[in-house]
Amino acid sequence: MVEMVIDNVERQTNYVKKQKAKGKGLGLVFADAFLRGMRDIGYKSPAWALAEELDNSWQAGATTVSIRFGFDSANQSQTKPDMLAICDDGNGLIPEMISYAVRWGGTDREDDRKGFGRFGYGLPSSIVSLAKRYTVYSKTRKSAWHAVTVDLEQLAEAAGDMENTEKLLTPFKSEPPTWILKSEDRIDLSKIPSATVIVLEKLEI
């Protein structure tokens, strides 16, 4: 029993030292542990996770949503995609809002009961249950294409460093990848005035 107590205290001491060494302080959550936990939030299936994104699209005024598959050049069989893109012709997001939308709790629809989402958890929770890396591209009628990339491994490494985290989540000017723009379906991203595209990489489906 004494050995267990000593081991427990020593383990706690080592853990506290490790967390303090990571950076500039803590918020309400331990970011790296939180990110790992949110990946296992427990959607019934990938389809249920994608349904969250469809609801976001409808709430943004979209009339059409397109799911597109991307393949690496090394993927000869193309039996399983390496990337997945969710495209819609909704109202889009201004650059700063993209940065907020990829964060848990970041929403301009607080208390909006017209759709499922009103707490800002749907987009990041559903996407990280499917992939370790994703990029949100969006444009509005008044703003050009901008994007924010969320790489869970990079964010976990930056846990505790708010300055670095902000840099990682800063929007940058960028159109969606060529393979998406050249895809042919009911949405022509080169012609519509507003749109949002979410590209999932490092899939775990």
Side-chain angles (χ1 to χ4, degrees), residues 51-116:
E52 291 264 20
E53 300 314 312
L54 296 180
D55 183 68
N56 284 341
S57 295
W58 307 141
Q59 283 190 279
T63 59
T64 306
V65 180
S66 169
I67 307 294
R68 303 178 182 180
F69 300 110
F71 301 89
D72 287 336
S73 57
N75 187 344
Q76 298 295 327
S77 67
Q78 295 194 357
T79 55
K80 184 177 180 181
D82 301 290
M83 295 163 283
L84 185 151
I86 306 160
C87 314
D88 74 48
D89 59 357
N91 299 322
L93 301 165
I94 62 175
E96 294 86 353
M97 192 63 216
I98 304 173
S99 181
Y100 292 165
V102 299
R103 307 172 197 233
W104 281 270
T107 180
D108 60 328
R109 298 176 187 152
E110 290 181 358
D111 295 325
D112 181 353
R113 297 180 182 272
K114 295 177 182 177
F116 292 118

Side-chain angles (χ1 to χ4, degrees), residues 2-148:
V2 174
E3 289 183 5
M4 280 188 65
V5 172
I6 293 174
D7 179 64
N8 187 35
V9 171
E10 186 175 329
R11 186 172 65 247
Q12 292 177 33
T13 302
N14 290 336
Y15 178 75
V16 169
K17 286 181 179 179
K18 183 178 178 181
Q19 299 308 316
K20 285 185 175 181
K22 283 184 177 179
K24 302 175 181 178
L26 301 170
L28 186 60
V29 299
F30 289 84
D32 49 349
F34 176 79
L35 290 170
R36 290 194 301 271
M38 291 305 293
R39 299 206 66 241
D40 296 319
I41 196 168
Y43 284 91
K44 291 182 180 180
S45 69
W48 279 83
L50 288 173
E52 291 264 20
E53 300 314 312
L54 296 180
D55 183 68
N56 284 341
S57 295
W58 307 141
Q59 283 190 279
T63 59
T64 306
V65 180
S66 169
I67 307 294
R68 303 178 182 180
F69 300 110
F71 301 89
D72 287 336
S73 57
N75 187 344
Q76 298 295 327
S77 67
Q78 295 194 357
T79 55
K80 184 177 180 181
D82 301 290
M83 295 163 283
L84 185 151
I86 306 160
C87 314
D88 74 48
D89 59 357
N91 299 322
L93 301 165
I94 62 175
E96 294 86 353
M97 192 63 216
I98 304 173
S99 181
Y100 292 165
V102 299
R103 307 172 197 233
W104 281 270
T107 180
D108 60 328
R109 298 176 187 152
E110 290 181 358
D111 295 325
D112 181 353
R113 297 180 182 272
K114 295 177 182 177
F116 292 118
R118 60 181 185 273
F119 299 116
Y121 278 69
L123 189 156
S125 295
S126 60
I127 297 301
V128 302
S129 73
L130 303 172
K132 288 184 177 181
R133 176 185 169 91
Y134 70 95
T135 303
V136 178
Y137 301 85
S138 198
K139 68 173 181 176
T140 69
R141 291 177 179 272
K142 295 184 178 181
S143 65
W145 283 108
H146 282 74
V148 171

